[in-house]
Amino acid sequence: MTPPRTTPSRSRIGELTLALRVNGTARTVTVEPRRVLADVLRDDLGLTGTRLGCEHGVCGSCTVLLDGEPVRSCLVLAVQVRDGDVRTVEGLDPQDPLLAAFETEHAYQCGFCTSGFLVLLRGALDEDPTVVDDADRLDALLASNLCRCTGYEGIRRAAVAAARQDAPDAYSAMPPSTQERNSSTCSDDQAP
Amino acid sequence: MKPPPFDWAAPTTVDEATALLARGDARVVAGGQSLLQDLRWRRVSPALLVDLAGIGELAGIGEPAGVDVAPHDGGTVRIGARVRHRDVERPRSAVPGPLGALLAETAGWIAHPPVRARGTVVGSLAQAHPAAEWCALAAGLDGRVELASTTGRREERVADLLLGPGRTSCAPTELITALLLPRLPEGTRTAVVESRRTHASYAHVAVTAARTPDGDLRLGLAGAGPTGRRAHAAEAAFAATGDPDAAGDAAAADDADPRGHPHATPDYTRHVVGVLVRRALAAVTDGREESAA
Amino acid sequence: MTSAGYATVADLRVPGCREAAFVRSPASHADLRGVDTATARTMPGVDLVLTADDLTDVGDVPTMFGGDDPPPWRPLADDRVRHVGEPVALVVADDRYRAEDAVAAVRLDLAPRPGRPTTAAALAADEPLYDGHRDVTLEKEFGPRVAASTWARAHAVVEADLREQLLAPTSLEARAILVEPGDGGALTVRCSHQYPHGLRAGIAGAFGLAEEAVRVVVPDAGGAFGSKSPTYPEYLAVVAAARRLGAPVRWVEDRTESLQAASRGRGQDQHVRIAADAAGRILAIDLTVDADVGAHPLGAALPGQTGLAASGAYDVAEVHARVRSVLTTTAPTYAYRGAGRPEAAYAVERAVDLLAAELGTDPVDLRRRNLVRSFPHDTPTGRRYDSGDYDATLDRALELLEPQRWRDEQRRRRADPHARPLGIGVACYVERSGGEPGILEEYGAVRACPDGTFEARVGTSSTGQSHARVFGDVVARRLGVDAARVRVVEADTAEVPEGHGSFASRSAQMGGAALHEAAGGLVDRARAAGVAVDALGASGPVEVEHRFSSPPAFPYGTYAAVVEVDPELGAVTVLRLVAVDDYGTVLDPAVVHGQTLGSITQGLGQVLYEDVPLDADGAPLLDEGLLDYLIPTAAEIPPLRLAETAVPNPNNPLGVKGAGEAGCIGVPPAVVNAVVDALPDADPALLQMPLTPDTVWAALRAGRPGRRADRNGTTGGAA
């Protein structure tokens, strides 16, 4: 359950001033109550790595971490996150293994969905890195977001590669191919 | 797809919230995962949003004081209006036993993890989407909701709350504060079966099932009609015959009241209701059973 | 992608930029009697409201492939609206929220007329959709008609009615444009676009500007898939607003607009007839297509691609196609990944399977008996297939498919009443890459810079195809330098003087070859000057331009699918999907592999999930957005087995053919053939795309009809 929030102050009629932490920095914004978190991040705070692909919660390009959990920033009002801790793609560690893995595994083509997948995966791997151990669990997680270019194979491989780097000890005994699906060289379909 | 203008208030008690709602033209926001969609499509444009996030008494899952509304033994579980899908999805959630297992399985069917991290169980009831799994489960278990307004508090059966797509008996000045569900006795077998077209779609049809060790059966349906509902005809047919096929036929014939959809004719949906009821029964029984009659 | 460098049109920070939103028609077809903007004009933050009356000095919207008789197309509808979502007015405000507030305050006075959502309804209408213009906006035949005697002497003749449903291209970034007016009428246009020089010409033409006065720049683009090459009416309205305000104006299309009003793909009613002799030699194919091209003939000529491709991968003596493009009251149908070739492959490959069933022969054997084997091969419909080894892709596909094991499993399941039915489907395809006359040319230039680096300019426009990487490698390889020293410049008309953009799988084949030749020219210059190539520019830049032209190329391949069906629910599960493609020489295996995967995923979308259903007037029934228009998620991807063969393109110095459209060509017929194979008791005429559970269940419930020649849909009869 989310912790109770303090009430923001009213600056002038129709607008509210609220405090939130974004990528570790305390920020104060004055916004209309109707303004959606994604727009406040993009327009008020200049964090345009959070992209809007559908604005109704389906595509996931706008995924951010709110108090550590991946959420749709297109379906959250900024006033709902008063005092909240928001992490966007810009707040990922530059050494995050996901970033390199997305490059080496060709996990993007047009790049529009990429930040949403990165944030989704960072939140999920932080909570439970074993999510990549089970192909069905990983697919159910990745099914949170849409990609129209890649067919998801590179994203799936990047998730596995990054999880291994997050916790190298846990994976040292595992042969690499057990984590791979749907590649042109390896397939685990149920042949008769 | 930007929301229309509205004012916003964050009460810290239910009384404050109901006082705000009493002014009229207000909507309640808990997780907002459906309301934000409706606002973006400008299907609703309330003057005021009343945000429940600061109301501590709506946060938890627990035992209601002095409430025992369900026919089952073992009392009732109260799910506050701020409880998220995710809160009941975890394997060892605050709700133990078979009911906890059923809640967890149901939550796992809802949207995807980022939506489950915001959306609430009670909010789903308030939205009354015909395909909502929580409406199926709550109606199927004959749950009740607590409602509050400035004129007092009342309870309503979920079956009476859900009136139609997006329509409930909750007055605009009322707030649903909690869902009350009967605890399920140890040994109760539960299942959720669902048909849907992709992982990103709504359920087409969902069936929730719970069967106690003494044979008491509760079936909930989503996608089978204008609202989530309990499958009374299927339950009765199974009680009378012990035959899952008979129960499925009864569900299709009498419990289902489907609307047309571009990708599902009413005939097809009716058929799927029958199939999924049979499959749900297979999951909570050992197949054909001796008639209870 | 996560770097600060990635920025789409919506991400650009431009001081003073206003945001635009459109008032759109809620009606499929209506007279527009009035537009009341009085309230909207006075609302907070609103700078400007434009209607058709304000744009009388702006030219018509150009149609890219408009057919024979294009009616006038105004940027904002004037006296009549002809599809839901047609732009009627434009609001410009200081932000998008307030622009949408004003949009909601505009009142339209509409007098409804009956809609005509289908080709059949349009052809039966009493009045034309545009006064003085034909509803059949293109009618064309390909190849000589099949002789009556051929049908008469055939051992087997089979025919079928097939439907290619309307699809929404659904790039995750929808359309977006930002227009900055400059001094002396100049414009800088930043647009998510596949054809910047085409957009420059379209805008310049509509506003009476010299092309040099318009600079089009394509920032990072979030996908396109064919839909982003036209000059759309919205773009002209935004240009008009920016010019009037003398301020930057941006329009970022939202998902609702995109699903309601943006261009769609496919949309064909097909009738195919095929004949064979007793030995299984295909004698004739006849294909008729009525294409629903929407309310404006933006893509009216594209169904011609289907007619041209009606031979498929086969050596058939008589092939004829007749294509009609018919105006309907829904959003325009335009290019979407494959653009006419998936439709042809689907018709031919379904027909071949039906023919095999009629002949009682194995569908793979029938295909093998008829594949084209000598090249170049001229088809009766006017194509010249350049090169290939079609058998090799079929052989390789069968190795990966392991059909015998699956046939054994199919037999086992057929004997078990509780087992789910299983089916196997195969499809061969030939596509066309590079484009058609008019765009069978591309500009490339390579410049040796004084610091020993190189600039490569090319007229293509990447929307996610890794041009910088692939073209940088092409140039570096030809120059014999490290790729890090080559900078690729494209998608900016101020930097690249001419170009035809990126569609029709033309970028590597045409643009890559142009750069290869230009780099070769630089190597020759260096050799003549007696210096190393990286010293060539030491005393000043040296540039070599090349305009490459060639005939189109013909990639090909074989796809195969194994499916199982839940017969109670009608749900289809793909157990194995095999794709063997030949794109000629592959420049960058990882990039090409990615194109194949993405295209396969879109093919899965078409065959199983995606569809724009319309109401009786033509309004799309997609109220819940992407919860109704279902594109595949990660959890919908089946186990894949992919391979490639590589027969070089003889008309290309790199040996390349286009890659990227194959998957959505090969997957649909392979999967439908597999589902039909799995369900011998279903009516194949009802197994139409998308194969939703309801569709499959209905086909099973209908049952396989008796072989009567008078039945609708699939008919057959031995002659």
Side-chain angles (χ1 to χ4, degrees), chain B residues 222-248:
Chain B
T227 67
R229 52 178 58 190
R230 183 173 165 188
H232 289 286
E235 290 175 8
F238 190 72
T241 66
D243 178 1
D245 290 344

Side-chain angles (χ1 to χ4, degrees), chain A residues 59-143:
Chain A
C59 81
S61 297
C62 69
T63 304
V64 300
L65 299 181
L66 177 57
D67 300 324
E69 290 179 320
V71 302
R72 302 297 204 223
S73 66
C74 76
L75 291 185
V76 179
L77 298 169
V79 291
Q80 290 179 283
V81 298
R82 56 202 186 277
D83 300 337
D85 183 70
V86 178
R87 209 164 146 212
T88 70
V89 70
E90 291 91 346
L92 293 187
D93 182 342
Q95 302 306 313
D96 191 318
L98 281 167
L99 298 175
F102 264 61
E103 294 291 337
T104 55
E105 302 296 343
H106 303 283
Y108 63 85
Q109 288 176 25
C110 84
F112 194 89
C113 71
T114 307
S115 43
F117 272 104
L118 286 168
V119 172
L120 174 79
L121 283 167
R122 179 38 58 212
L125 293 179
D126 283 352
E127 191 200 343
D128 179 7
T130 69
V131 68
V132 303
D133 294 354
D134 176 328
D136 289 339
R137 276 182 73 204
L138 179 55
D139 276 350
L141 171 69
L142 293 177

Side-chain angles (χ1 to χ4, degrees), chain C residues 30-35 52 76-81 88 108-111:
Chain C
D31 289 319
L32 179 60
R33 292 171 169 167
V35 184
L76 296 172
D78 45 13
D79 59 348
R80 198 153 144 189
V81 289
V88 174
L108 305 183
D109 181 3
L110 294 166

Side-chain angles (χ1 to χ4, degrees), chain A:
Chain A
M1 276 134 278
T2 51
R5 311 288 193 183
T6 58
T7 303
S9 64
R10 278 171 193 275
S11 54
R12 57 193 168 94
I13 291 171
E15 290 196 337
L16 297 168
T17 298
L18 53 133
L20 60 166
R21 280 185 83 72
V22 180
N23 298 330
T25 305
R27 306 296 294 259
T28 301
V29 290
T30 299
V31 296
E32 283 185 280
R34 63 165 160 169
R35 279 189 77 82
V36 173
L37 176 61
D39 289 320
V40 170
L41 292 170
R42 291 174 53 79
D43 299 342
D44 299 59
L45 301 177
L47 298 169
T48 54
T50 299
R51 298 203 162 76
L52 288 166
C54 78
E55 298 188 82
H56 57 290
V58 186
C59 81
S61 297
C62 69
T63 304
V64 300
L65 299 181
L66 177 57
D67 300 324
E69 290 179 320
V71 302
R72 302 297 204 223
S73 66
C74 76
L75 291 185
V76 179
L77 298 169
V79 291
Q80 290 179 283
V81 298
R82 56 202 186 277
D83 300 337
D85 183 70
V86 178
R87 209 164 146 212
T88 70
V89 70
E90 291 91 346
L92 293 187
D93 182 342
Q95 302 306 313
D96 191 318
L98 281 167
L99 298 175
F102 264 61
E103 294 291 337
T104 55
E105 302 296 343
H106 303 283
Y108 63 85
Q109 288 176 25
C110 84
F112 194 89
C113 71
T114 307
S115 43
F117 272 104
L118 286 168
V119 172
L120 174 79
L121 283 167
R122 179 38 58 212
L125 293 179
D126 283 352
E127 191 200 343
D128 179 7
T130 69
V131 68
V132 303
D133 294 354
D134 176 328
D136 289 339
R137 276 182 73 204
L138 179 55
D139 276 350
L141 171 69
L142 293 177
S144 301
N145 289 17
L146 298 177
C147 169
R148 190 61 157 162
C149 293
T150 65
Y152 305 99
E153 177 186 293
I155 298 171
R156 192 182 286 119
R157 282 204 313 258
V160 173
R164 280 185 200 146
Q165 279 186 269
D166 277 359
D169 296 345
Y171 287 88
S172 56
M174 196 174 286
S177 65
T178 59
Q179 291 300 316
E180 291 173 10
R181 283 189 61 196
N182 293 340
S183 82
S184 54
T185 54
C186 170
S187 185
D188 68 345
D189 64 4
Q190 302 298 308

Side-chain angles (χ1 to χ4, degrees), chain C residues 187-568:
Chain C
L187 296 171
T188 300
V189 177
R190 296 175 201 279
C191 186
S192 181
H193 207 270
Q194 294 171 254
Y195 192 4
H197 293 88
L199 179 61
R200 178 178 72 168
I203 289 172
F207 289 88
L209 299 169
E211 290 202 8
E212 307 76 66
V214 181
R215 178 185 180 189
V216 174
V217 184
V218 180
D220 288 309
F225 313 116
S227 69
K228 289 181 179 172
S229 58
T231 302
Y232 282 107
E234 288 92 342
Y235 299 166
L236 298 184
V238 172
V239 169
R243 281 161 57 93
R244 188 166 294 218
L245 286 171
V249 177
R250 166 167 43 203
W251 170 60
V252 178
E253 180 176 52
D254 68 32
R255 189 55 54 188
T256 301
E257 294 180 278
S258 180
L259 288 172
Q260 298 280 322
S263 65
R264 307 192 181 115
R266 314 285 189 262
Q268 290 189 0
D269 298 319
Q270 304 174 329
H271 184 81
V272 62
R273 194 172 188 214
I274 189 167
D277 66 16
R281 183 86 209 158
I282 300 174
L283 300 174
I285 298 172
D286 188 81
L287 175 63
T288 54
V289 173
D290 281 341
D292 27 328
V293 297
H296 301 282
L298 178 64
L302 288 169
Q305 290 292 320
T306 307
L308 284 164
S311 298
Y314 308 109
D315 182 1
V316 181
E318 292 183 80
V319 180
H320 171 258
R322 191 212 61 186
V323 172
R324 292 192 296 186
S325 293
V326 184
L327 294 171
T328 51
T329 52
T330 192
T333 310
Y334 186 67
Y336 168 59
R337 204 167 195 165
R341 291 98 81 200
E343 296 90 324
Y346 183 67
V348 171
E349 292 303 299
R350 284 292 300 124
V352 169
D353 256 38
L354 293 166
L355 183 64
E358 182 66 23
L359 290 165
T361 188
D362 183 288
V364 171
D365 293 343
L366 181 60
R367 285 181 169 82
R368 193 183 291 287
R369 209 167 304 167
N370 289 281
L371 286 175
V372 171
R373 292 209 169 77
S374 73
F375 297 90
H377 171 80
D378 292 312
T379 76
T381 53
R383 288 303 203 189
R384 169 164 286 198
Y385 295 168
D386 50 272
S387 61
D389 182 349
Y390 295 1
D391 285 274
T393 64
L394 179 57
D395 291 341
R396 186 81 182 98
L398 293 174
E399 285 171 22
L400 297 173
L401 174 67
E402 302 172 293
Q404 203 46 57
R405 297 173 65 189
W406 292 110
R407 286 287 174 215
D408 292 345
E409 173 67 7
Q410 183 180 53
R411 265 190 296 278
R412 186 192 72 73
R413 292 189 184 204
R414 282 185 178 164
D416 176 356
H418 300 295
R420 291 187 173 183
L422 180 144
I424 304 160
V426 173
C428 299
Y429 77 90
V430 175
E431 68 154 316
R432 178 240 58 201
S433 67
E436 297 297 324
I439 61 164
L440 284 168
E441 171 180 287
E442 191 49 83
Y443 172 90
V446 181
R447 178 183 299 172
C449 301
D451 61 359
T453 65
F454 298 87
E455 278 185 1
R457 290 175 163 69
V458 62
T460 51
S461 179
S462 179
T463 53
Q465 298 88 2
S466 307
H467 288 182
R469 163 183 163 141
V470 177
F471 290 162
D473 282 346
V474 165
V475 171
R477 245 178 274 169
R478 187 73 185 87
L479 295 174
V481 304
D482 191 280
R485 290 164 69 181
V486 180
R487 190 168 68 91
V488 175
V489 178
E490 66 169 2
D492 181 345
T493 62
E495 291 275 354
V496 182
E498 59 190 270
H500 289 296
S502 291
F503 49 94
S505 286
R506 64 185 303 282
S507 295
Q509 182 185 329
M510 309 304 288
L515 287 174
H516 175 82
E517 299 287 37
L522 218 49
V523 170
D524 292 345
R525 291 264 196 105
R527 192 175 297 137
V531 298
V533 72
D534 51 1
L536 186 61
S539 55
V542 176
E543 181 173 276
V544 173
E545 292 184 322
H546 187 86
R547 286 171 185 80
F548 178 78
S549 64
S550 81
F554 293 87
Y556 59 91
T558 300
Y559 279 60
V562 180
V563 303
E564 73 174 16
V565 179
D566 176 339
E568 286 189 306

